[in-house]
């Protein structure tokens, strides 16, 4: 008689845990009134990572889409910088935009790497954050159909 | 000596292969009653799962370690020191020598086997034994990828917990929370997620912007959270497994992220308009928002009942901040809190039988519970600043965060519904705003 074995999905790996912070000051309780508009975002360490954004190689890209990607890349390079991350891998994301150039949804295309690799996850998280933070993007309304959905290759560099 | 025959193989809903053995003695069921407050923890022996190969033996020891730690942390079990064990994992593969276990006062015994298959997957088998009745209570086997061993250990612990308490377990679950570091003027907050025992910790955001109040969907792997990118409070929907992320909307003045409906298709949120804050519901498919409350003052912090028919929320419409319950369509709101001071952050238990909340009176913070009709109110935790309760999937345990007085640390704790067994959940940085996931599917 054979035994039936049913498989379970894989969980993500544990990421490296940073060393604990020393004693920190109190925080405001969340029952308090809304916080005052926060100061500019504070990077975690000395900043030195920028992102280069390009269409995914091999995917056919209309010229309107190509120039949209270039505009997005330029904008993100100006607006976002991340903490030093020398081993951060390139990531593939699909960016879906609203007509006003704001982000509708960002999809991680390489789900296997995302769930299996802590470095990939961290890089994808940073790239997602950069796209949200630097949007809305100034893109020509007439070409919306071609830049509505953009598969992107995002490569960190220093 | 009793002869055990393998009766049948059957596949349960949870995907386990059940090995059910006959027993021919009728005895009182080995059981812990967990509803009565102080419980004498049941002495249980969790033996390293046997593995022929050294790597399997190591996996077996690791799995047994996590199972024992889960059971011990619940406060209901007292794993016996393995140095006291007489019988070895190898000889347990045939049958326990129950006398060896009675003599060290074990009431329950857990044994198992780990075997790497030819395709590299692990086959893990475990058995739970009633030592006095000398019979097997549970026998199950499952295969999985080797990286998944912790999830298997938590599943095993859940099965044992359920069999011995009659209640669903909660060990195969996760907690998402806000990790905090730095001085108050430059506080860095990042979303983080971990297994309920603090393992498999990872960050979900990069700390560039303020993040608040993550909430777990009861039925999917999604969370909502609030973030102040570009200085605007915006609600994000993030899928933990796939990393897919989107904006639910810009909501000026919002201070809590929305909570999900039990089926995961809707969220409730509070929006400020014309100096008033009221509760709205958004359909996640259509993104249409409709209003549920319309009263002066601030109504916020909604939480659905597990059957989706009611919503608990906090409101100061009566002059002070109290807890109300209304129908899910917005009508029939009734106040259910009646004590001194202020009540807030109501959260409905997944079992439906209690609502947990934060209560502030006399300068002290409490975590309390009451029935949905307001009866049976009691405090289960207190401190200089404790708040933000969230329920474990079985509705028997709560997590919350606590800030020490005088600028001390902010940390996560769990506590049993009865108010006993408060435990810290150790995190790499300070921690606040926990949200407990459903059982991992």
């Amino acid at each position: 008689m054979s035994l039936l074995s049913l498989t379970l999905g894989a969980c993500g790996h544990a990421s490296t845990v940073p060393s604990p912070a020393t004693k920190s000051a109190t925080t405001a309780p969340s029952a308090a009134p809304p916080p005052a508009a926060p100061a500019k975002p504070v990077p975690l360490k000395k900043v030195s990572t920028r992102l280069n954004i390009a269409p995914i190689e091999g995917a056919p890209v209309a010229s309107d889409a190509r120039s949209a990607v270039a505009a997005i890349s330029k904008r993100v390079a100006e607006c976002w910088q991340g903490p030093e991350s020398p081993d951060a891998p390139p990531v593939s994301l699909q960016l879906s935009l609203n007509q006003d150039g704001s982000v509708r949804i960002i999809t991680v295309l390489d789900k296997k790497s995302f769930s299996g690799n802590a470095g990939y996850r961290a890089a994808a998280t940073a790239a997602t954050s950069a796209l949200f933070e630097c949007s809305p993007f100034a893109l020509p309304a007439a070409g919306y159909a071609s830049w509505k959905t953009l598969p992107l290759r995002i490569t960190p560099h220093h | 000596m009793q002869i055990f025959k393998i009766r049948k193989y059957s596949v349960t809903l949870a995907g386990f292969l059940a090995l059910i053995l006959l027993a021919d003695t009728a005895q009182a069921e080995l059981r812990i009653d967990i509803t009565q407050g102080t419980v004498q923890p049941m002495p249980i022996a969790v033996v390293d799962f046997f593995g022929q190969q050294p790597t399997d033996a190591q996996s077996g020891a690791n799995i047994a370690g996590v199972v024992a730690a889960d059971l011990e942390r619940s406060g209901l079990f007292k794993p016996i020191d393995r140095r006291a064990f007489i019988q070895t994992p190898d000889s347990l593969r045939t049958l326990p020598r129950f006398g060896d276990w009675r003599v060290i006062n074990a009431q329950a015994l857990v044994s198992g086997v780990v075997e790497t298959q030819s395709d590299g997957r692990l086959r893990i088998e475990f058995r739970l034994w009633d030592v006095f009745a000398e019979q097997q209570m549970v026998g199950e086997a499952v295969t999985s990828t080797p990286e998944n061993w912790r999830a298997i250990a938590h599943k095993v612990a859940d099965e044992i917990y359920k069999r011995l308490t009659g209640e669903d377990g909660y060990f195969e679950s996760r907690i998402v929370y806000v990790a905090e570091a730095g001085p108050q003027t430059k506080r860095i907050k990042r979303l983080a997620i971990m297994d309920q025992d603090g393992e498999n910790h990872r960050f979900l955001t990069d700390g560039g912007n303020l993040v608040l109040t993550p909430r777990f969907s009861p039925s999917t792997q999604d969370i909502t959270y609030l973030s102040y990118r570009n200085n605007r409070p915006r609600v994000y929907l993030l899928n933990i497994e796939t990393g897919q992320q989107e904006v639910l909307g810009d909501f000026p003045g919002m201070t809590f992220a929305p909570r999900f409906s039990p089926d995961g298709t809707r969220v409730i949120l509070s929006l400020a308009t014309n100096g008033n804050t009221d509760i709205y519901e958004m359909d996640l498919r259509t993104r249409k928002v409709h209003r549920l409350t319309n009263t002066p003052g601030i109504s916020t912090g909604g939480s659905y009942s597990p059957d989706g028919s009611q919503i608990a929320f906090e409101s100061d419409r009566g002059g002070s901040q109290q807890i109300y319950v209304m129908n899910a369509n917005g009508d029939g709101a009734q106040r259910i809190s009646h004590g001194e001071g202020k009540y807030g952050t109501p959260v409905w238990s997944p079992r439906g039988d209690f609502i947990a909340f934060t209560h502030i009176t006399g300068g002290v913070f409490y975590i309390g519970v009451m029935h949905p009709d307001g009866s049976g109110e009691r405090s289960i935790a207190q401190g200089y600043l404790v708040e933000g309760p969230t329920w474990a999937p079985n509705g028997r345990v709560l997590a919350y965060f606590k800030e020490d007085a005088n600028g001390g640390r902010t940390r996560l704790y769990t506590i049993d519904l009865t108010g006993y067994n408060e435990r810290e959940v150790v995190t790499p940085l300070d921690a606040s705003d926990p949200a407990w996931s459903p059982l991992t599917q």
Side-chain angles (χ1 to χ4, degrees):
Chain A
M1 194 181 310
S2 67
L3 301 179
L4 286 175
S5 299
L6 294 180
T7 62
L8 299 172
C11 285
H13 286 290
S15 65
T16 312
V17 162
S19 50
T22 48
K23 243 188 197 308
S24 51
T26 57
T27 56
S30 57
K40 279 204 165 96
V42 176
L44 288 170
K45 296 187 206 170
K46 278 204 184 310
V47 295
S48 60
T49 300
R50 301 259 178 191
L51 298 177
N52 173 261
I53 302 179
I56 291 182
E57 293 127 28
V61 183
S63 66
D64 278 357
R66 199 173 285 283
S67 48
V69 173
I72 290 169
S73 188
K74 183 161 185 285
R75 169 76 187 128
V76 169
E78 289 161 2
C79 122
W80 188 91
Q81 46 192 3
E84 187 173 352
S85 49
D87 298 323
V91 299
S92 302
L93 303 179
Q94 178 170 285
L95 175 63
S96 301
L97 294 165
N98 295 314
Q99 233 163 343
D100 63 356
S102 62
V103 175
R104 193 176 71 78
I105 188 166
I106 296 176
T107 308
V108 176
L109 291 173
D110 188 349
K111 295 192 181 11
K112 192 152 182 271
S113 293
F114 184 84
S115 66
N117 184 317
Y120 194 94
R121 257 202 309 279
T125 299
T128 301
S129 193
L131 289 168
F132 277 117
E133 211 169 297
C134 301
S135 59
F137 302 107
L139 298 170
Y144 178 55
S146 60
W147 51 257
K148 185 169 153 172
T149 304
L150 294 169
L152 302 175
R153 187 96 177 127
I154 303 186
T155 310
H157 64 93
H158 308 98
Chain B
M1 185 169 113
Q2 294 164 325
I3 310 284
F4 290 91
K5 284 192 162 62
I6 295 183
R7 189 80 192 275
K8 66 180 181 191
Y9 297 110
S10 64
V11 177
T12 67
L13 287 175
F16 279 102
L17 175 63
L19 308 169
I20 299 169
L21 303 191
L22 281 177
D24 53 6
T25 53
Q27 298 237 354
E29 177 98 312
L30 184 62
R31 176 61 61 98
I32 299 175
D33 179 357
I34 66 175
T35 62
Q36 300 307 314
T38 47
V39 165
Q40 280 299 333
M42 177 189 282
I44 185 169
V46 182
V47 187
D48 288 355
F49 287 18
F50 175 78
Q52 188 79 52
Q53 307 303 324
T55 49
D56 289 341
Q58 184 59 62
S59 298
N62 293 341
I63 289 169
V66 169
V67 169
D70 277 346
L71 295 174
E72 192 281 327
R73 202 179 325 103
S74 73
L76 303 175
F77 299 91
K78 190 168 177 355
I80 293 167
D81 190 324
R82 58 183 64 177
R83 289 170 297 182
F85 296 169
I86 299 167
Q87 194 172 2
T88 62
D90 190 357
S91 71
L92 267 173
R93 294 168 74 192
T94 41
L95 207 60
R97 288 194 300 267
F98 292 104
D100 284 358
W101 300 100
R102 273 198 300 274
V103 90
I104 62 170
N105 295 320
Q107 291 179 22
L109 167 67
V110 179
S111 68
V113 177
V114 176
E115 195 182 7
T116 302
Q117 313 282 276
S118 53
D119 60 358
R121 296 172 65 82
L122 284 187
R123 180 178 183 278
I124 296 137
E125 180 189 302
F126 84 95
R127 294 169 197 269
L128 169 67
W129 305 88
D130 178 335
V131 172
F132 287 105
E134 298 197 359
Q135 67 189 54
Q136 179 177 296
M137 299 178 77
V138 180
E140 294 181 348
V142 66
T143 65
S144 171
T145 57
E147 305 82 53
N148 221 24
W149 70 268
R150 279 189 183 276
I152 302 302
H154 293 310
K155 264 197 207 304
V156 170
D158 277 334
E159 289 288 317
I160 295 166
Y161 180 100
K162 182 169 183 163
R163 195 64 168 83
L164 292 176
T165 67
E167 305 266 351
D168 287 338
Y170 62 97
F171 302 119
E172 202 193 349
S173 60
R174 292 181 288 190
I175 295 175
V176 66
Y177 72 97
V178 176
E180 308 190 5
Q184 191 175 8
T185 48
K186 274 174 63 162
R187 199 81 172 148
I188 308 263
K189 295 193 175 196
R190 305 173 72 174
L191 284 190
I193 191 167
M194 58 189 175
D195 294 349
Q196 51 79 23
D197 62 359
E199 297 290 334
N200 278 336
H201 184 280
R202 62 177 165 102
F203 293 102
L204 298 173
T205 64
D206 64 358
N209 304 94
L210 192 62
V211 287
L212 298 173
T213 62
R215 314 288 200 198
F216 243 113
S217 166
S219 50
T220 69
Q221 292 295 307
D222 290 306
I223 63 163
T224 60
Y225 69 95
L226 202 57
S227 181
Y228 279 78
R229 291 189 175 105
N230 298 327
N231 293 342
R232 280 195 311 210
R234 211 180 229 179
V235 177
Y236 290 82
L237 182 69
L238 165 65
N239 186 291
I240 301 284
E241 290 307 307
T242 66
Q244 181 168 288
Q245 191 159 184
E246 56 188 298
V247 176
L248 279 192
D250 280 7
F251 301 110
M254 181 179 277
T255 55
F256 298 111
R259 283 220 176 82
F260 287 86
S261 62
D263 63 9
T265 65
R266 291 160 289 144
V267 290
I268 32 175
L269 42 106
S270 35
L271 299 179
T273 47
N274 302 327
N276 229 31
T277 300
D278 280 297
I279 296 184
Y280 293 71
E281 186 182 65
M282 176 194 277
D283 184 311
L284 286 175
R285 289 163 298 202
T286 64
R287 298 301 157 91
K288 284 197 160 67
V289 172
H290 85 269
R291 187 177 199 150
L292 295 181
T293 68
N294 193 352
T295 57
I298 299 175
S299 296
T300 186
S303 169
Y304 286 92
S305 61
D307 67 3
S309 67
Q310 292 177 289
I311 293 169
F313 62 99
E314 63 176 76
S315 178
D316 61 3
R317 60 184 61 177
S320 68
Q321 192 181 319
Q322 301 291 334
I323 297 173
Y324 291 75
V325 169
M326 64 182 174
N327 296 325
N329 63 2
D331 61 27
Q334 305 260 10
R335 177 173 156 180
I336 65 166
S337 59
H338 298 286
E340 292 290 313
K342 302 195 293 187
Y343 291 80
T345 75
V347 212
W348 215 305
S349 159
R351 288 159 60 107
D353 55 354
F354 282 102
I355 292 171
F357 51 85
T358 305
H359 181 202
I360 307 162
T361 181
V364 182
F365 281 70
Y366 300 86
I367 303 290
V369 293
M370 62 175 69
H371 292 298
D373 64 1
S375 66
E377 176 182 352
R378 55 194 169 80
S379 299
I380 62 171
Q382 74 172 76
Y384 166 75
L385 200 159
V386 290
E387 61 179 305
T390 177
W391 291 93
N394 71 349
R396 298 291 320 169
V397 178
L398 287 145
Y400 53 95
F401 69 100
K402 190 172 10 176
E403 185 184 315
D404 298 337
N406 303 322
R409 294 198 52 205
T410 306
R411 284 174 285 184
L412 298 190
Y413 289 81
T414 57
I415 197 164
D416 190 83
L417 173 60
T418 54
Y420 290 94
N421 196 36
E422 185 186 53
R423 303 264 184 146
E424 183 185 343
V425 183
V426 177
T427 52
L429 306 171
D430 276 11
S432 66
D433 285 353
W436 210 315
S437 79
L439 283 177
T440 309
Q441 294 308 319

